[in-house]
Amino acid sequence: MLFFYVRHGDPTYNPDELTPLGHRQAEAVAKRLSLYGIDKIYSSTSNRAYQTAVPTAEILKKDIEKLDFCNEGHAWRELTVVTENGRKWAFQDEDTRKLLLSPEVLALHDKWYTHPGFKENNFEVGLKRVAKESDQFFKNLGYEHIEGTGTYKVLNDNNDRVALFAHQGFGLAFLSHILDIPYPVFSMHFDTTHSGVTVIEFKNEDGISVPKILTLSNDSHIYKDGLPTNYCNYLRF
């Protein structure tokens, strides 16, 4: 199986929808994915993610199945911190970033959220929710997560190409769990851009699959269509 994780296009968050640029990004990624061929299309229940998925579904004549556990509203309540300047993702707040990268937190590995510095936060609740729902999602696709090993038991070997259109904040927790990379490490060292495509291969090796990222947040479709290749509208490559 090849799994495609696609972050939504350039958005407005209130109202929850794509900007004109975001719609063009969605059309660009649809042309790219239609060349690959996608067998199943899933989307977060947020409007911006669904709007990003629509052009791909239209070209390939596929239905879109919505998954509420991917909605970033849930992750926003669980994986953020309240600061003097408002609520921020844990990986964006300067003080929290320092703690996430501290030797004490990193030494706790996948139980990092038990550090006393996080006792007022909902990180444990959020990560366990994402883990439970993600594992059920992949089990339905034919791959049962053997948590903590970086491997999956192959229940139904297949060559399906599956796309999920969702978010950055949710996605960093989702991808870190899929790969069994502790969230502090993944969220601090990796990121995704608007309409970026992450491809993960689930290869069957004697009944076990070790998911491998083949490309992370690739935006070649943006370049091909002559759209601005700015990372999240602020860093020009």
Side-chain angles (χ1 to χ4, degrees):
M1 180 180 75
L2 285 181
F3 180 73
F4 297 77
Y5 187 85
V6 187
R7 185 183 175 189
H8 59 73
D10 184 56
T12 61
Y13 293 97
N14 187 19
D16 171 23
E17 60 185 25
L18 296 181
T19 65
L21 173 60
H23 282 288
R24 294 190 64 186
Q25 291 172 339
E27 292 165 359
V29 78
K31 286 183 278 187
R32 176 181 177 181
L33 294 179
S34 67
L35 293 175
Y36 299 160
I38 300 294
D39 299 295
K40 299 175 183 178
I41 301 175
Y42 297 89
S43 167
S44 157
T45 50
S46 79
N47 199 37
R48 59 190 181 275
Y50 182 77
Q51 287 180 340
T52 306
V54 165
T56 299
E58 288 179 345
I59 291 176
L60 294 174
K61 295 180 171 54
K62 299 285 185 181
D63 294 329
I64 301 171
E65 182 174 340
K66 292 184 178 181
L67 303 174
D68 187 62
F69 85 92
C70 302
N71 191 303
E72 193 152 79
H74 305 312
W76 180 250
R77 289 187 291 272
E78 299 160 343
L79 302 176
T80 51
V81 295
V82 178
T83 73
E84 293 180 355
N85 298 316
R87 187 175 289 273
K88 294 182 179 180
W89 291 108
F91 56 82
Q92 291 178 337
D93 175 59
E94 183 176 355
D95 291 336
T96 309
R97 286 165 59 91
K98 291 178 181 178
L99 187 54
L100 287 171
L101 290 175
S102 69
E104 296 81 10
V105 168
L106 294 178
L108 293 170
H109 198 63
D110 61 337
K111 297 295 188 295
W112 62 272
Y113 44 72
T114 63
H115 188 278
F118 300 131
K119 65 181 180 179
E120 301 299 326
N121 303 106
N122 293 320
F123 298 156
E124 181 175 2
V125 172
L127 267 293
K128 286 185 175 180
R129 179 189 64 82
V130 171
K132 178 182 178 181
E133 297 289 351
S134 300
D135 286 350
Q136 185 59 56
F137 173 64
F138 279 98
K139 188 174 183 179
N140 291 340
L141 294 176
Y143 300 84
E144 185 175 28
H145 192 193
I146 307 172
E147 192 169 351
T149 68
T151 66
Y152 287 69
K153 180 180 179 180
V154 179
L155 304 177
N156 176 28
D157 190 23
N158 63 78
N159 293 313
D160 288 349
R161 297 186 172 204
V162 179
L164 170 59
F165 293 78
H167 309 269
Q168 175 201 37
F170 161 79
L172 295 180
F174 176 72
L175 294 172
S176 71
H177 179 69
I178 292 172
L179 301 167
D180 283 314
I181 299 174
Y183 178 76
V185 176
F186 197 89
S187 67
M188 294 299 295
H189 293 285
F190 300 93
D191 206 351
T192 58
T193 192
H194 294 144
S195 79
V197 178
T198 296
V199 184
I200 303 177
E201 180 186 31
F202 284 76
K203 185 178 180 181
N204 184 6
E205 298 178 297
D206 297 323
I208 295 294
S209 180
V210 181
K212 180 180 291 186
I213 288 185
L214 305 183
T215 184
L216 175 67
S217 195
N218 186 284
D219 66 350
S220 58
H221 53 284
I222 298 298
Y223 178 80
K224 186 177 188 301
D225 267 28
L227 299 173
T229 56
N230 297 344
Y231 167 74
C232 295
N233 293 332
Y234 83 88
L235 179 61
R236 186 172 181 81
F237 291 158

